[in-house]
Amino acid sequence: MNTLFDKIWDAHIVQEIEEGPTQLYIDRLYCHEVTTPQAFDGLRARKLKCFRPGQVFCMPDHNIPTHDQDKTIEDPVSRKQVDTLAHNAQEFNLTYFGMRHPKNGIIHVVGPERGLTLPGMTIVCGDSHTSTHGAMGALAFGIGTSEVEMVLATQCVLQSRPMTMRITIDGTLGKGVTAKDMALYLMAKITTSGATGYFIEYAGEAVRALSMEGRLTLCNLSIEMGARGGMIAPDETTFAYIKGREYAPQGEAWEKAVAYWKTLKSDDNATFDRELHYNAADIEPMITYGTNPGMGTTITSRIPTTEGMSDVEKASFEKSLHYMGFHPGEPLLGKPVDYVFLGACTNGRIEDFRAFAAIVKGRKKAENIIAWLVPGSWQVDTQIREEGIDKILKEAGFEIRQPGCSACLAMNDDKVPAGKYAVSTSNRNFEGRQGPGSRTLLASPLVAAAAAVTGVITDPRSLM
């Protein structure tokens, strides 16, 4: 009896090395500008071509500005990285969606929305949040630069087989509770290392009820639990999302593909190395208070105290709170914030903008707030305008920026200043992640919207 993971992994084995890694065939390689230059240099040094260029898709996302994209990138390092990717894609005959191309955006947003990411695929990228694509029923994981070179040269990668974990969430999510809250809840429960060495399959009634966008958010954050990746078995929600997308199968090929995709689920008696069960009713809107994504709590709770902690745990906890300017046992509700960021490969999809707009509609942006609302792709930007979301946001005093990774990480112009607080829909709240000295509170688009119109940490349910 096989798990979903087993079925996809086993179907892609080229050969197994005794007491060593598995040579795994890769269906899709995504390349952005940050982790690929040395990989292409490696091909040149060995006088190699790209083995299967039709299966490689490139686009800049980390370093690009989210304003004035029609102008030359000002930062010389960012400009060089973006230009280098364009040059490499051209030299090696790879598909390239450059800045302002209608198919450009964050690579983990563009893959699913264009139908490039499909169930049953093996997908890799030199980026840890490649786990996002597992929401489509794919086996997707991040790889290092030397492994990117390996895939470019051979369309295969050497990997040790991870253990399997199933996280089942049954029941129904309550009002104002999103997939982001689900993920932050799981991290608070099992910690950021609780899934180390595992590939997670998410299951249960609450997971099945998620939209495709919600599933992408949940799988995106698998890596923040220490997992190698996360995945959800494809179902009618998946098929409806994929159908008609640009790179999706068409006609008879579609019917054949769906018939295969329907087999991609864990067998009834499949055995996992670890099983965890949770009740959706126990999950509330969440927010982080520390410097790793596992330091989160319900928005109405107080920051934990150090009671029961070991000396090592206490030292780490106190260091984190000192950086954040918080104290054990104090409430988070009502705390002033300075910045709000909606976007990233975690929450930069159309559904996230709809949720944000639902809260701010008929209200005004708080005067003390600087808000960066950044679509995950040009397609999302188009949808925002077609649905009139841009008008709702403009009337409330918000401005939509151009697509890119933006304030998820301090690799472009969108940096939160030292000491300032940002309620962010991104995936990491490490020290300096959004800018040197910045203080990040991870939350859902609903919590971000509530903070944007009140200027303080606010329970979004009070505005719904």
Side-chain angles (χ1 to χ4, degrees):
M1 296 293 113
N2 290 321
T3 66
L4 168 61
F5 172 87
D6 295 331
K7 290 179 180 182
I8 301 176
W9 179 279
D10 292 346
H12 288 79
I13 292 174
V14 177
Q15 63 175 330
E16 293 182 279
I17 299 165
E18 195 173 336
E19 294 185 14
T22 300
Q23 184 185 12
L24 209 62
Y25 183 77
I26 298 302
D27 294 306
R28 193 79 80 210
L29 169 64
Y30 294 133
C31 294
H32 58 59
E33 73 275 27
V34 180
T35 54
T36 56
Q38 298 90 337
F40 287 108
D41 286 344
L43 292 189
R44 288 189 193 94
R46 294 191 288 155
K47 295 181 170 56
L48 294 173
K49 293 181 179 180
C50 180
F51 183 59
R52 292 206 166 150
Q55 289 167 240
V56 184
F57 289 78
C58 309
M59 69 193 74
D61 54 12
H62 282 56
N63 290 87
I64 62 178
T66 60
H67 56 85
D68 299 320
Q69 287 188 5
D70 55 328
K71 298 181 173 66
T72 303
I73 297 174
E74 290 182 12
D75 179 68
V77 175
S78 293
R79 185 170 65 248
K80 184 175 183 181
Q81 286 198 309
V82 171
D83 290 348
T84 300
L85 179 63
H87 171 75
N88 286 330
Q90 184 177 19
E91 180 181 338
F92 289 91
N93 194 30
L94 306 177
T95 302
Y96 176 72
F97 302 146
M99 201 162 61
R100 288 189 67 80
H101 189 289
K103 297 178 195 174
N104 177 256
I106 303 172
I107 212 156
H108 305 314
V109 174
V110 173
E113 75 180 8
R114 290 285 168 185
L116 285 165
T117 300
L118 297 172
M121 280 185 166
T122 48
I123 296 171
V124 295
C125 175
D127 184 293
S128 59
H129 293 106
T130 308
S131 59
T132 308
H133 305 270
M136 310 291 292
L139 201 162
F141 51 91
I143 55 175
T145 299
S146 61
E147 293 168 313
V148 171
E149 182 182 339
M150 195 186 300
V151 178
L152 286 168
T154 68
Q155 207 57 39
C156 294
V157 72
L158 294 175
Q159 287 287 299
S160 296
R161 189 178 190 123
M163 296 179 288
T164 56
M165 175 191 289
R166 180 162 57 189
I167 297 179
T168 302
I169 306 172
D170 282 317
T172 306
L173 291 175
K175 176 184 173 182
V177 182
T178 69
K180 181 64 165 287
D181 301 303
M182 244 187 198
L184 291 174
Y185 173 85
L186 292 174
M187 283 183 269
K189 286 289 183 186
I190 70 173
T191 77
T192 51
S193 60
T196 301
Y198 292 92
F199 221 97
I200 299 171
E201 179 181 340
Y202 298 100
E205 182 188 356
V207 173
R208 286 268 161 251
L210 291 175
S211 65
M212 207 63 240
E213 284 93 343
R215 296 178 187 191
L216 290 160
T217 295
L218 181 59
C219 288
N220 173 273
L221 289 154
S222 304
I223 198 75
E224 309 308 337
M225 302 173 212
R228 196 72 188 87
M231 61 200 314
I232 295 170
D235 58 13
E236 294 302 327
T237 298
T238 321
F239 310 150
Y241 179 87
I242 296 169
K243 191 170 187 179
R245 292 186 185 266
E246 185 178 357
Y247 291 92
Q250 310 290 333
E252 284 184 27
W254 170 259
E255 300 301 328
K256 189 177 177 183
V258 171
Y260 166 59
W261 295 343
K262 286 180 177 178
T263 70
L264 296 176
K265 56 185 177 183
S266 292
D267 296 330
D268 291 342
N269 297 320
T271 303
F272 291 80
D273 294 300
R274 191 178 179 197
E275 293 250 23
L276 296 173
H277 295 266
Y278 298 97
N279 187 341
D282 295 334
I283 307 174
E284 293 186 51
M286 299 283 293
I287 193 164
T288 63
Y289 55 83
T291 53
N292 75 59
M295 298 180 76
T297 186
T298 61
I299 199 160
T300 55
S301 298
R302 292 174 177 268
I303 295 171
T305 64
T306 56
E307 190 179 341
M309 291 185 186
S310 67
D311 289 344
V312 173
E313 290 169 336
K314 185 178 178 182
S316 173
F317 183 80
E318 289 178 341
K319 177 179 180 289
S320 180
L321 288 197
H322 177 73
Y323 178 86
M324 292 298 293
F326 292 155
H327 302 283
E330 68 175 337
L332 288 161
L333 279 180
K335 281 198 168 295
V337 295
D338 308 290
Y339 284 74
V340 166
F341 170 52
L342 174 67
C345 59
T346 315
N347 285 121
R349 298 176 183 84
I350 186 60
E351 185 179 274
D352 303 309
F353 278 80
R354 289 173 187 150
F356 191 96
I359 292 284
V360 307
K361 187 175 183 178
R363 297 185 169 96
K364 292 289 183 185
K365 181 181 77 67
E367 288 185 10
N368 61 305
I369 293 290
I370 293 174
W372 290 329
L373 313 186
V374 188
S377 69
W378 282 104
Q379 181 167 313
V380 174
D381 181 84
T382 299
Q383 287 175 284
I384 287 169
R385 296 173 200 286
E386 285 175 350
E387 295 181 18
I389 292 171
D390 58 326
K391 293 183 176 64
I392 293 170
L393 296 173
K394 187 177 181 181
E395 285 170 12
F398 297 96
E399 178 189 331
I400 299 168
R401 296 170 83 88
Q402 293 173 320
C405 288
S406 185
C408 176
L409 76 174
M411 229 178 236
N412 52 69
D413 297 341
D414 299 350
K415 295 179 178 69
V416 176
K420 298 296 184 182
Y421 290 97
V423 172
S424 176
T425 66
S426 53
N427 42 52
R428 288 181 176 159
N429 55 347
F430 305 152
E431 291 188 18
R433 171 75 177 182
Q434 291 192 286
S438 61
R439 293 161 164 173
T440 302
L441 301 103
L442 300 177
S444 74
L446 294 177
V447 172
V453 294
T454 62
V456 299
I457 297 172
T458 301
D459 186 340
R461 294 171 295 189
S462 66
L463 302 180
M464 293 173 76

